[in-house]
Amino acid sequence: MFKKAVDAKSHQRLSGADRKKLRRTIRDRFSNASDALLDLILPPKAELSVSKYPNRVLVYGLEGECPMFFDVDGRGRDIFPTVYALWRVPELLPAFVLKGGDVSRFMLGGADLMFPGIRIPTEGLPSFSSGEPWAVKVPGNPAAIAVGTTTMSSTEALKAGLRGKALKICHYYRDTLWESAENCHVPNAGFLEDVVFEDPALFLSGRASDSSEVDPSVDPGNMISNEDMREVIDADTTSSGVGQPSTTQNDGADEITVQLTNDLSELKVAETYVDESNIEGQHSLCVEEVDALLDECLLQALHTTIKEKDLPIPGSTFWSSHVLPCRPPGITLDIKKSSHKKLSKWLQAKASSGLISVKEDKHKKEVILFSVNRNHPDYMSYKPEKKKVDKTGPSTNNVSSEEWVQKSLEVSEIYKPSVHVNPIFASVGAETSRLYTASEASEIVFQYVEKENLVKPSNKSTVTLDATLCDALFKGAIKKGSTYPTEIHKKDLGQTFIGRMQAHHCVTRGNDTVVRKGALKPIQIMTERRQGNKKVTKLSGMESFLLDAETLASELQKKCASSTTVAELPGKKGEEVLVQGGVIDDLARYLVEQYGVPKRYIEVLDKTKR
């Protein structure tokens, strides 16, 4: 529901009568919603606002803060709490617990929850009816990651052998509703960029209170099987509108299952590995030794896994995907046991030494790693270990490194300053000749707002427009005779500013990188009828993603067992691949799985159904 960004049609403050009506609706909808709990989510003296969207969805929240509830049909019958509300009041909804943190990757990718991904309690499946609101949690983490409605009752689920879809997900962590908050935040350190694991603080406190207690989340009986994981993976594919995978794709799912299981085992090493000698060694590390280990892992990561094309990268992603995999086997690396205590302070300390450069994203409350000084004495004197780093990623056991490099794809949207916004860049001392990412461009305009002190004192979520900023945002875009606005909401400022810049896109495949002007055009896949009942599927626009038409046609001939041809597009630059038969879903899935083309850049049209 909130996978794609949609601008609200209006924002307005709730009246006293509407506040009372909202509280009554919530009490009727949720049996656990007492007045005391509602006061924690919707404080009596706080101002509440409602945002109306084109698809009739209503979003209720604290003015200038986080969204707390959303109404699917705008009539109050299908109202749900957001994850922000559940982080404040976890007992508002019952929750399904996943079999492991890795399953959360599919939830955060937009997939619905399948029964094979749920950990069934020892007392059996809880009782529920079809259409009930439930939350989703990760074992060892009390904070919810998603909200949805049950697709069947518990009785029907047992009759079906606990197979199929359990929960239709309406909202999840890191979707556009979550990102609409003024200050996006996470409840604990277990919430990473694309996955959620157990809360490290709870795990450490549990170990301290009773070292002999076993975490049920790593019970072998609760580990997800290959068959169950395959169904979860199938669910992710199905939710995107792509058909069932073929036999070769099932083999790929097995490889992914093995890789996820290995990764999960490594992440749970502190729980499952009980060698007393290693535990004693871990406890004997002093602060200085932890600091030295952090520096060694940092240098190893900078040498072996961090490339220039990976930058800039959020600090949390850098820590989980690059630093942690470089630690010695059997060692649990805990930033809290160092002299820095926090990841942000450690990265800023390394930036002070000149090894790296970082910037703090004031809106997301996170440090971003921007560049690496590869001429720094520490970097040049360090000799990285030649052993293979166990980095989380797709299994390449059956694919050569050269083939994998050719199939890897990175797509980014970048922007160049235009004559409209050049004064803003010049005012903060930023270059006007280089290209910027969306986050970097937003940072520029907010630097200008901070420099000129344009935040409205009476409403911190509103920015007052001076002459320079008003011209940058609206000059030439307002009809003659219309009045120019005098202020703008913070959440609209960045997007409006970016819209006034020149759009570019960067596509990287293997060692080839292309930067082109304009927005990236999607690959078009279209099926139409020819000569009676015969169908042909045409694929065009693959050149934008550095794909060769002849090579792709040869692969699709074997993949689809159909004849393929390559033809030049009439009146246009480029070529199109024609495949006999209605194989529109197969082509879309093949581009995603084999060439890494994001689904949002694939446009499908089936003219045979008209």
Side-chain angles (χ1 to χ4, degrees), residues 478-526:
I478 301 294
K479 294 181 178 180
K480 290 184 179 180
S482 300
T483 305
Y484 278 79
T486 58
E487 56 186 37
I488 188 173
H489 199 283
K490 275 186 177 180
K491 65 181 180 180
D492 299 326
L493 176 59
Q495 194 62 37
T496 306
F497 185 76
I498 293 171
R500 300 283 282 178
M501 299 176 67
Q502 295 177 359
H504 289 66
H505 62 271
C506 177
V507 179
T508 300
R509 182 177 297 281
N511 298 323
D512 298 329
T513 300
V514 175
V515 178
R516 297 188 179 97
K517 188 176 180 179
L520 180 59
K521 296 181 179 179
I523 293 179
Q524 294 183 341
I525 307 177
M526 180 174 64

Side-chain angles (χ1 to χ4, degrees), residues 19 23 35-36 38-48 62:
R19 290 169 64 101
R23 292 175 70 96
D35 290 335
L38 284 179
D39 289 343
L40 295 175
I41 307 175
L42 306 174
K45 296 184 179 181
E47 294 292 343
L48 302 182
L62 304 178

Side-chain angles (χ1 to χ4, degrees), residues 251-252 254-260 262-263 388-408 593:
D251 295 337
D254 292 335
E255 293 177 7
I256 295 175
T257 304
V258 173
Q259 182 69 27
L260 290 177
N262 294 337
D263 292 343
K388 183 179 179 181
V389 179
D390 186 14
K391 179 180 178 181
T392 303
S395 175
T396 58
N397 293 336
N398 297 326
V399 182
S400 66
S401 59
E402 182 178 355
E403 289 177 342
W404 178 254
V405 167
Q406 291 299 322
K407 292 184 178 182
S408 62
E593 295 178 353

Side-chain angles (χ1 to χ4, degrees), residues 537-604:
T537 302
K538 299 190 294 184
L539 186 149
S540 61
M542 73 288 294
E543 296 88 357
S544 300
F545 297 86
L546 305 183
L547 294 176
D548 180 67
E550 294 288 349
T551 304
L552 189 59
S554 177
E555 294 180 3
L556 293 177
Q557 182 179 8
K558 301 175 183 177
K559 175 68 179 177
C560 303
S562 302
S563 62
T564 60
T565 56
V566 177
E568 292 186 2
L569 290 172
K572 299 180 180 179
K573 293 182 179 180
E575 299 175 314
E576 65 177 357
V577 177
L578 286 76
V579 184
Q580 295 298 323
V583 290
I584 190 170
D585 291 338
D586 292 338
L587 296 192
R589 183 168 60 248
Y590 188 77
L591 292 173
V592 172
E593 295 178 353
Q594 296 298 321
Y595 286 101
V597 179
K599 295 176 183 177
R600 66 181 183 276
Y601 291 118
I602 299 178
E603 187 178 276
V604 297

Side-chain angles (χ1 to χ4, degrees), residues 440-469:
E440 291 173 339
S442 296
E443 182 66 25
I444 294 295
V445 70
F446 278 103
Q447 285 180 16
Y448 178 82
V449 170
E450 184 176 355
K451 176 176 176 288
E452 301 296 331
N453 195 22
L454 298 179
V455 177
K456 194 174 182 180
S458 59
N459 187 355
K460 298 295 184 181
S461 63
T462 304
V463 174
T464 303
L465 299 178
D466 63 2
T468 303
L469 185 57

Side-chain angles (χ1 to χ4, degrees), residues 122-142:
T122 54
E123 60 271 17
L125 186 70
S127 177
F128 54 86
S129 302
S130 177
E132 287 186 4
W134 277 65
V136 181
K137 295 182 179 180
V138 168
N141 199 319

